[in-house]
Amino acid sequence: MGLLTNLKDSITRVTDRLFTESDPKRIGIYGPPNAGKTTLANRIARDWTGDAIGPESHIPHETRRARRKENVEIERNGKSVTIDIVDTPGVTTKVDYQEFLEFDMEEEDAVRRSREATEGVAEAMHWLREDVDGVIYVLDSADDPFTQVNTMLIGIIESRDLPVLIFANKIDLDDSSVKRIEDAFPQHETVPLSALEGENMDEVYGKIAEYFG
Amino acid sequence: MPKVKEKERDGVQIDLISGERMAGMTSMEKIRMILDGVHEGKIVILEQGLSPDEESKLIEVTMTEISPDEFSGIEIETYPSSASTDSGLIGRLMGKRPGASKLTVIGPADRIETLHKDETLISALVSRT
C-alpha cells in the first residue's frame, strides 16, 4: 500500500512537471531572516529585467510579504531559463517584537512589524507547500548553518522533491565560511556569492540555468 | 507523602511522548497537542518526530498564535539531516519518510535556548521562567 502510493505520488509529480515544461518555473528564494534573500532577488531582477523586487534592510523581517517578479529570462553557457522569482519572508519559529526595539523602533511599530512578520512566515510556508517549482536556499556564510530552521526547511524541500540550490551568501564578510555550509548540507550543491557586491554572479546564473532550465 | 499543589511547584514540566501515542493521531491533532503543551510552559519531547509536512504546518500554526508579551513562538530541535539518511526517491518509495524518526524537543521560545548543536549532539538550556 505504502510502496504503491509513494510510487504513484512520485510519478504524478514527475509527469506534472513534464506537462508544464514550457511555463516559467516559479523559484522561491528561501532562508532564515537576514540571509540576504531580497538583496539576491534584487540583484537577479536588476541584472535581467532592470527592475528591483523590494526594499532591503539590516533589520530582520524587512520582507513580510512574498513578492514575485515574473518572466525573468536568464541565459548562460547556451542554456536559457525563464523563471518567476518569489522573494519570501525569512522563516523562523519565533518572533518577539522586543528584538525590533533594539533598532530604535517605536513599540507600536515593533508590534506591527512583528504581527506582519508572523503572517509573512506563514505565507512563505504555504508557498513552499503549494506554489513553487524549485528553491534557492540562501544562507549567510558568516553564520552557523546548523540551525533548526535550516534543518527543517531543507527537509521539507527534499520531501517535496523540489530541486534546490544552496547559496552561501555574504562571502565578502571576514567570518564567511563556505565550507561550513558545504559540510552541513553535503547532499546539495553549494554556490558561494556576495549578492551585495555582485561577486561570483556568473556561476550563480550558470547554476540557475543548469538546475532550473 | 504530602501532595504538592500545582501552583506551588517550581520547575519545568517535561512531557515525553511515545511514537505509539503519536501514531494514531492526525497531523493537526499532533500540532495541537504540541502547541497546547508549549503554551502551558511545558517542554515536549517526541520519541519520533514530525514529518516534514507536519513540521511545515507546525511553523505555520505557531506563527498564527504568536501574540506580543504572551507567546513569542517555539524553540524546536532535532538533529540535522545528512546525506546518509533515506531522504531520496528510493527511500521514499520504500516508505521511509525523511526526518520522521528523530527525537524532537519543542518548548516555548522564551524558556529554551540552544547552546550547541551539531550532527550528533544538541545541548539546550531550559529556564524556569
Side-chain angles (χ1 to χ4, degrees):
Chain A
M1 174 72 180
L3 180 67
L4 288 175
T5 306
N6 285 325
L7 183 59
K8 186 181 162 205
D9 288 348
S10 296
I11 291 170
T12 303
R13 279 196 287 269
V14 169
T15 51
D16 281 352
R17 285 199 191 126
L18 286 175
F19 289 130
T20 56
E21 197 68 29
S22 57
D23 295 334
K25 305 282 194 323
R26 217 174 280 141
I27 307 301
I29 300 182
Y30 278 84
N34 267 16
K37 296 179 293 300
T38 303
T39 306
L40 173 68
N42 283 341
R43 167 75 59 181
I44 296 172
R46 281 200 191 102
D47 281 354
W48 298 96
T49 71
D51 298 325
I53 287 188
E56 302 159 20
S57 167
H58 67 289
I59 306 175
H61 298 291
E62 179 66 25
T63 304
R64 300 186 293 281
R65 285 280 177 275
R67 296 193 192 94
R68 178 151 60 122
K69 183 76 178 172
E70 294 178 271
N71 296 313
V72 178
E73 189 175 356
I74 295 174
E75 292 178 27
R76 265 297 181 276
N77 308 325
K79 288 196 169 189
S80 171
V81 59
T82 302
I83 59 173
D84 290 353
I85 300 170
V86 184
D87 181 28
T88 67
V91 174
T92 181
T93 60
K94 55 192 172 189
V95 178
D96 186 348
Y97 78 94
Q98 300 209 22
E99 75 175 286
F100 303 129
L101 299 176
E102 294 167 15
F103 294 93
D104 291 332
M105 204 175 279
E106 295 295 326
E107 185 166 325
E108 189 181 337
D109 293 335
V111 168
R112 187 187 318 114
R113 191 182 184 93
S114 154
R115 192 182 60 245
E116 290 172 358
T118 60
E119 291 168 0
V121 175
E123 189 183 336
M125 298 314 297
H126 193 83
W127 273 84
L128 186 56
R129 286 204 306 272
E130 307 287 338
D131 295 317
V132 297
D133 303 309
V135 172
I136 292 172
Y137 198 78
V138 182
L139 289 165
D140 180 341
S141 59
D143 279 351
D144 179 8
F146 285 111
T147 67
Q148 186 58 30
V149 162
N150 293 337
T151 303
M152 284 199 297
L153 277 179
I154 293 293
I156 292 164
I157 292 162
E158 288 172 347
S159 75
R160 308 199 75 78
D161 288 336
L162 292 170
V164 57
L165 275 174
I166 294 184
F167 281 7
N169 194 22
K170 306 192 185 182
I171 57 171
D172 53 304
L173 298 180
D174 289 342
D175 295 339
S176 166
S177 170
V178 177
K179 186 174 183 307
R180 199 164 43 184
I181 294 175
E182 289 170 339
D183 290 345
F185 304 105
Q187 69 273 41
H188 298 292
E189 186 159 4
T190 298
V191 184
L193 76 152
S194 167
L196 184 67
E197 302 295 335
E199 283 182 51
N200 204 35
M201 294 308 292
D202 275 345
E203 186 183 359
V204 164
Y205 294 134
K207 290 296 178 188
I208 290 175
E210 183 186 330
Y211 264 69
F212 304 123
Chain B
M1 200 167 90
K3 201 172 180 181
V4 181
K5 289 180 185 172
E6 190 75 31
K7 63 181 178 184
E8 290 175 355
R9 288 178 181 159
D10 183 21
V12 177
Q13 182 174 336
I14 299 174
D15 286 356
L16 292 97
I17 300 169
S18 71
E20 188 182 0
R21 188 181 178 93
M22 297 278 279
M25 301 172 84
T26 66
S27 294
M28 276 315 295
E29 283 172 337
K30 292 179 195 172
I31 289 167
R32 198 62 271 155
M33 179 192 66
I34 292 165
L35 287 178
D36 285 349
V38 170
H39 275 297
E40 292 169 17
K42 296 176 187 171
I43 305 298
V44 179
I45 301 178
L46 309 177
E47 182 190 25
Q48 295 183 347
L50 300 170
S51 71
D53 206 51
E54 289 165 346
E55 288 179 340
S56 160
K57 286 173 185 158
L58 175 64
I59 295 174
E60 198 170 334
V61 177
T62 298
M63 288 297 119
T64 65
E65 299 191 358
I66 287 177
S67 173
D69 294 325
E70 289 178 14
F71 180 59
S72 60
I74 60 171
E75 190 73 46
I76 173 169
E77 290 296 354
T78 61
Y79 305 108
S81 58
S82 71
S84 60
T85 58
D86 287 302
S87 59
L89 179 64
I90 299 301
R92 277 191 293 280
L93 285 174
M94 297 307 288
K96 293 178 180 176
R97 294 181 303 161
S101 59
K102 288 179 185 169
L103 187 84
T104 300
V105 183
I106 306 161
D110 57 355
R111 295 182 70 175
I112 182 167
E113 180 190 353
T114 304
L115 302 176
H116 174 81
K117 177 175 176 172
D118 61 30
E119 298 95 325
T120 55
L121 173 70
I122 297 166
S123 179
L125 180 70
V126 179
S127 62
R128 290 178 178 175
T129 55

